[in-house]
Structures are given as C-alpha cells and as structure tokens.
DNA sequence: GCGAAGGGTTTTAACGTTCAAAAGGCCTGG
DNA sequence: CCAGGCCTTTTGAACGTTAAAACCCTTCGC
C-alpha cells in the first residue's frame, strides 16, 4: 500500500489540504465536527506525514547527531545503556538519534559541519569530552547547536551547555557506604593524572576520608591502564603493605574486578574480609560473583537533560549524582 | 553563514539550476569548462546539497533504521564494535544509521512501520534474531526493506536476506587450536537448549571432536545463565569429575572468564595447565589476565554485507567465518 | 543544402508539506 | 439590514531539489 498524502486525505474529508495540516499541527483551529471528520479520514487512509517534506518546509529535521566512539584501548561497557537512554529521551520529544563516525578531536569537525550543513541533523550530543575540548569552541563559532556529556574541565567559562555526573559525589557515596559497613582503612584505585575524570573521583575519595577522619596516606594507587591485571596488581601492592586496607574504592568496574580476583586468589572473601566498590554499574558488576557494589550513572536523567538542553538551546549546566548499587562485594564486614 | 542553495550557485556561475544539479549528480553531462566554472562557484559559496529537499524529490532518505536493543538480563559487550562497523559501512555508501527504540518482538513492528511510512528511514537492520523471528514475515508482508543479522533458525526458506556468523565453524577453530596445542579432552560450556546460537556452537564442538577422535561424553555442560559464577561452577564440576578436561571451549567470553577464575582459585595456570577459549572477542578478553583466546566476529565484514544486501535489495544469504584471536589462555600446554 | 542525430543546457513541473494572507461564514449590535 | 469582528477555511506561494521534456546549436550523412 502506497502511503497517503495530505492531498488525498483532504479530498476524502472534503476539506482543503491546509485544514488537514491544521488538524495535525493546530487542532484547536478546527471546528470540532471538521476535526472529527478529518481525523476519521486520516485514520481510514492510514495517513502518515512525510518527514522530508515537513523538514524541507520548516527546516528542522528533528534528528540529533551522535558520533559513535571508537576507543582503541579504552573499553566502554555502558555504551548500550547510554544509547538506549539517549534514544528514548529523544523519542519523548519526537526526535531521533543519527549515528555517524568521525575522526576524534578537532579533526572530525568537518564531518559535524557537513552533517549540519546538509541538514541531516539539527545538532549534536558530544561525549568523550576531553580537557579543554577543542570541539566546543569550533562548534560554537560555527553556530552549530550542541550539548556535551562531560564538563570541559578546568575552564571557568564553558563555551557550551553540558551535562555531567559528579564523580566526587560518587566516590563520597562509596566511601561512606564502606565506612557504614565498618571499614576504616579505605584505599582508592586510580588512573594516571591525565584524566580529569580520575582526578574528580579521586578528590571525592580524599575529601570524604578527611571528613570521616580516615587515613589516606599511601592508600591511593595509580593503575597504568584499565585492566583486570592492573587492578589486581594494585590490590596486591596494597595488601602487602604493613597496614593493608579493609576497603577499596576503584575508579572503574574493571579495576574493581581485578581487585576481587586478587582477593579470591589470596583466599580472602570479598564483602566479608574486604569491601570493594566499582564505578559505572557495567554489566560486569552484575555477572561477577559476588556481585560488585558500584556507582550507577543515572543514564535516563543524563539523557533527558542532554536532549532538553539541546532542544531548548539553553546554556544550562547540569551536574547529576550517581547512585550506589549495593551488591555482595560490600556485604557488611 | 547561511548555507547556499542551488539557485544561488546557479546565479553565481551564470547557468541554470539544473546544470548545477547535474554538476553534482551527473558531471559527465557538462562541458568541461562549464563543469569547472560550476565547481568553482560551488566551492566558493561552500554549497552543500540540502538532504531533505533531495529526499523529498527522490523519495530516498539514505537512512537505515536500527533498533537499539535493551536486554534485561543478557549483556551485549560487543555492541559498540558492531555499531561502529555498521556506521562506517553505511557511510561508505553515503548512508547513515538512525537509532530508535521499540518493544521486542512483533509488538515493536508498528514502530518500524511508522518510521518507514513517515519516510524517516529506507529500511532496517535487524539484530537479536530469534528462532522463527516473527518480525521477518511482518516486514516482508508490508514490503519494508530489511536485512537480518542472524539466521532465522531451522527454516529452510527464509523470508528475507540475512548475514550471520558460522558458530559451528568458530567452535571448530577453537577445538582444533586446543588440539594443536596438545589438549586431548576438550569440554564445552553451553547455555540452555532454547538458544539457536548455543546449539550451533555446540554442534561445531561435537562434530570437530568426533573428527579428531576426541571424547565428548560428559564434557558438555549447560550453564543456566551467562555469568562468571555459572562459568566457574561448570568448570568446577568438570574439574571434579574422574576424568577432568585439559581444554575448555566456552560459548561466551563471560563463561570463559568464569572458567579462568575457577582455575586461578585452584592454583591452576590458564594456558599452562588448561586451555580456555571464549566467544566474541569482547573487551573483556583483552583486559583479562592472561588474555583470553576467543573467536572474533568479523564485524566490518558483517556490517558491509548487511549494508550492501539491504541497499541492493538482493535476497542474499551470507554466512561468515569468525577468526581465532590467540591470547595467553591457550598458551601451548 | 537540408534533414537527422546528438551533445549540452534550460525550462517546466513536480515531490509533500507549512506559512502568510486572504476569503468566507456567522454572530452581534446598532 | 448592514457594518464590524471573530472564528474557520481556503488560496497561493514557497522550501530546495531532481526527472523529463524541450530547446538550441553543432556536426554529420547524403
């Protein structure tokens, strides 16, 4: 069956084309009986507005671009959660997500420009934000709408709107939870200093420990990369120290699982002998045994804020809070 | 800067609008000097064709729909790889991927229909195919173009085109690799019988063992779910049997990692004492220690076939072969 | 020298929708 | 009975592009 057009619906309902258009976009303008008649015809002919014609006329495509990241060495285990949430949020406003690939950083900007100039998308959601991300200024200068998932760190004035999750608050939650389950020496597994994300989460651990009067000296370990082996190595290092910790807050689920593995290897029981927490609530946290206590990013909230910020063109900043998902790895000690 | 239109380029190059259009879509029709003049104007005015106008006229949007899956209990660790490959393949033909959400199974079909009827997409890539997937027949009846990632199992005549990876061939590769590294009792960690995927991979293990004269009796274990704990439990069960295996082919990387964990717990060294392989080459395989030997899905090839099959509307079937990625977990025993 | 053929370019007419403005209908009040 | 105003509906044009036909000019064959 070929799709019906406005014209055909109009002919069937014996009104003008514009009236049918109004029935869809401004029903209050129609007399109730006309509206009913038109709607009946719409229903009967199974009419669906042609999005291309609409976009051509209104010059708004209701499509949001998202560059699908390809990390050579970093794993992104929660990308499916993020995309699902982003899609759902977009659909709640009648929009959709258009995926594309582009070189990382500022080299990719011509691709963004092209997509926007050719009217494939109205704007962009950026992720994988880096310190002083050059993409922000570029897009702003070209007047291309965008919103960033992730703060542009260390900048007092942001060139654009952003949404982010408070990593420090996340660490604070983890530390307090470990404290409440009886731990008093809480270590932190981190990454190299180059990552703004890592510093944020590390700061939260440090300040919360200070507030609770807990020691931090010698309890922060930097892992070289995000692997099980590095998490295990760092944990081994901590456990072999004169004063081993009784709790570990890890910067990622992967490091945390590495920690769990090291505990198991030493015949220590995670949760009982030592509390361990991860970050991001990746699928791994659930399939691990014991389940990994971790900090869940509020994906739906993030996505909703991203979409509304982008579509209302507001220059807002949203700092959201992660929530603690408690599983076996922090069973009361 | 407001984007230029064909009209403006035409005025600038002192030709008609259609000539500019031809310069882009059928340059051979123009006299070389005209073409050069038009191209110069295009360049100068930074002209980009408006996709909406084009689509309206040609009724082809060059967008492919993909329903972003949300598995309640199954993890999909290679989705980012898949999406990246799919995007890249689409872009190679000037197309893009449009993401959307829909209820699983046949309940979601009205969403597909709507997207197609409103001309947001030309067709769909389906994934998460199930046994006798009802979506295929539904789409075929509505004449909505689609291609499926995953066979509709056990059907002799498929209602549509598909691309899939030969799981049996994958298992065969794993078994032979373990055989060549000296293992002679090779077990298989599987899932419940309900999964066509699992049966395919299991069959490959069984037949290859038969070919090599290896035993299979008592060496296939079904895991209840895809978790580390189940993988570990099954492995423990195997190791405790009177004749323990010296190799394990697991249906998934997660089960394989569960197996590795159980080995470590028993102070066995994966790779030296027992060879273990996984499936799918998820990021975990690389971050595990030792690295997990696993079967990589040829994502780029899959994506390329999906896109070309969909866009050429051919009724083709492509069965692709996984490749073995050897890491430490099968170091020669 | 004239019709045919053909390459190159322009003209005309859509594609399906919405915007702006005009037209029509109906009621109210004088 | 008509002017004025409000509410509903129609008309005309436009969004930017491409397909098809028409047109012009040159070249070719006889």
């Amino acid at each position: 069956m070929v799709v019906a057009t406005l014209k055909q619906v109009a002919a069937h309902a014996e009104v003008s084309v514009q009236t049918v258009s109004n029935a869809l976009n401004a029903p209050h303008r129609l007399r109730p009986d006309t509206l009913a008649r038109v709607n009946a015809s719409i229903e009967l002919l199974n009419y669906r507005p042609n999005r291309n014609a609409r976009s051509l006329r209104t010059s708004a495509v209701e499509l949001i671009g998202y560059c699908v990241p390809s990390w050579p060495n970093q794993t992104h285990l929660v990308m499916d959660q993020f995309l699902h949430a982003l899609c759902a949020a977009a659909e709640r406003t009648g929009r959709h997500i258009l995926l594309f690939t582009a070189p990382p950083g500022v080299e990719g900007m011509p691709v963004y420009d092209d997509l926007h100039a050719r009217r494939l998308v109205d704007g962009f959601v950026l992720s994988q934000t880096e310190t002083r991300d050059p993409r922000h200024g570029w897009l702003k200068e070209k007047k291309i709408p965008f919103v960033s998932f992730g703060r542009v760190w260390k900048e007092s004035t942001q060139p654009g709107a952003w949404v982010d999750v408070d990593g420090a608050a996340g660490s604070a939650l983890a530390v307090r939870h470990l404290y409440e389950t009886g731990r008093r020496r809480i270590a932190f597994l981190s990454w190299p200093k180059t990552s703004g994300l890592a510093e944020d989460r590390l700061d939260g651990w440090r300040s919360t420990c200070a507030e609770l009067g807990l020691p931090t000296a010698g309890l922060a370990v930097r892992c070289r990369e995000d692997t099980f082996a590095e998490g295990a190595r760092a944990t081994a290092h901590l456990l072999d120290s004169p004063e081993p910790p009784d709790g570990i807050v890890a910067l990622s689920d992967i490091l945390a699982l590495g920690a769990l593995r090291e505990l198991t290897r030493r015949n220590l029981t995670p949760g009982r002998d030592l509390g361990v927490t991860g970050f991001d609530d990746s699928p791994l946290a659930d399939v691990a045994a014991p389940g990994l206590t971790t900090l869940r990013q509020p994906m739906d909230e993030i996505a909703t804020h991203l979409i509304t910020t982008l579509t209302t063109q507001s220059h807002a900043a949203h700092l959201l809070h992660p929530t603690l998902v408690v599983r076996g790895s922090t069973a009361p000690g």
Side-chain angles (χ1 to χ4, degrees), chain A residues 11 17 45 48 50 56 92 106 130 145 152 174 179 193 211 216-217 255 258 265 268 285 298-299 314 329:
Chain A
V17 184
L45 299 181
R48 318 283 181 78
N50 180 312
L56 175 59
R92 263 177 256 131
V106 81
E130 287 175 12
V152 174
Y179 183 85
K193 273 196 180 150
E211 281 172 33
T216 57
L255 289 184
R265 205 181 64 80
L268 294 170
M299 286 298 181
S314 74
S329 70

Side-chain angles (χ1 to χ4, degrees), chain A residues 166-180 188 200-201 203-209 211-212 249 279 295 322 324:
Chain A
D166 191 338
S171 298
L173 277 177
V175 170
R176 288 183 187 280
H177 171 66
L178 288 172
Y179 183 85
E180 282 160 15
F188 191 85
D200 187 33
R201 294 179 181 179
D203 286 349
W205 163 78
R206 191 182 290 116
S207 60
T208 310
C209 284
E211 281 172 33
L212 295 171
V249 173
F279 245 101
L295 288 149
L324 192 76

Side-chain angles (χ1 to χ4, degrees), chain A residues 35 94 106 131 174 197 225 235 257 307 309:
Chain A
L35 182 57
V106 81
T131 309
L197 186 95
E225 47 186 11
T235 304
L257 288 186
I307 298 294
T309 303

Side-chain angles (χ1 to χ4, degrees), chain A residues 23-312:
Chain A
L24 292 164
N25 301 315
H28 61 274
R29 287 194 196 156
L30 302 206
R31 235 178 20 224
D33 59 325
T34 323
L35 182 57
R37 201 166 80 250
V38 172
N39 278 337
S41 297
I42 287 176
E43 186 96 6
L44 188 68
L45 299 181
N46 190 32
Y47 168 74
R48 318 283 181 78
N50 180 312
R51 182 67 146 270
N52 292 119
R54 180 180 223 281
S55 294
L56 175 59
R57 187 62 243 245
T58 63
S59 60
V61 284
E62 321 271 73
L63 248 45
I64 295 165
Y66 177 74
C67 180
V68 44
S70 66
W71 299 277
N73 39 23
Q74 199 183 343
T75 61
H76 197 45
L77 299 168
V78 290
M79 175 158 127
D80 59 336
Q81 292 174 33
F82 175 67
L83 279 183
H84 189 86
L86 193 63
C87 254
E91 285 171 14
R92 263 177 256 131
T93 70
R95 274 163 256 256
H96 288 274
I97 301 296
L98 183 137
L99 285 188
F100 65 100
T101 64
V106 81
E107 279 84 57
M109 298 324 289
V111 179
Y112 289 70
D113 186 36
D114 200 54
L115 287 169
H116 182 254
R118 297 164 75 165
R119 312 269 52 217
L120 269 89
V121 302
D122 293 326
F124 296 94
V125 169
L126 303 184
S127 72
Q128 297 307 298
T129 317
E130 287 175 12
T131 309
R132 304 197 59 145
D133 201 313
R135 298 179 298 171
H136 290 211
W138 204 98
L139 290 171
K140 190 181 189 185
E141 191 179 337
K142 286 259 184 180
K143 296 203 194 327
I144 299 176
F146 74 95
V147 59
S148 168
F149 179 23
R151 283 162 281 183
V152 174
W153 303 85
K154 293 172 190 159
E155 281 281 290
S156 54
T157 55
Q158 303 274 343
W162 55 264
V163 176
D164 204 359
V165 177
D166 191 338
S171 298
L173 277 177
V175 170
R176 288 183 187 280
H177 171 66
L178 288 172
Y179 183 85
E180 282 160 15
T181 52
R183 340 279 172 173
R184 290 298 177 266
R185 280 187 68 80
I186 299 172
F188 191 85
L189 303 191
S190 181
W191 285 338
K193 273 196 180 150
T194 52
S195 154
L197 186 95
E199 292 316 286
D200 187 33
R201 294 179 181 179
L202 179 64
D203 286 349
W205 163 78
R206 191 182 290 116
S207 60
T208 310
C209 284
E211 281 172 33
L212 295 171
L214 302 181
T216 57
L219 286 171
V221 185
R222 296 206 181 260
C223 299
R224 282 184 294 262
E225 47 186 11
D226 198 32
T227 62
F228 294 156
E230 274 295 291
R233 186 192 59 78
T235 304
H237 173 75
L238 286 165
L239 292 175
D240 289 337
S241 70
E243 286 186 290
D246 53 8
I248 296 178
V249 173
L251 191 62
S252 76
D253 280 354
I254 292 196
L255 289 184
L257 288 186
L260 289 188
R261 206 190 58 185
E262 182 64 15
L263 297 188
T264 309
R265 205 181 64 80
R266 295 183 178 222
N267 285 319
L268 294 170
T269 303
R272 196 190 65 193
D273 299 321
L274 224 91
V276 177
T277 70
F279 245 101
D280 288 352
D281 196 22
S282 66
L284 299 188
D286 202 38
V287 302
L292 179 65
T293 295
T294 185
L295 288 149
R296 167 167 252 289
Q297 315 258 26
M299 286 298 181
D300 292 327
E301 215 183 326
I302 293 168
T304 307
H305 276 111
L306 284 171
I307 298 294
T308 55
T309 303
L310 182 59
T311 56
T312 61

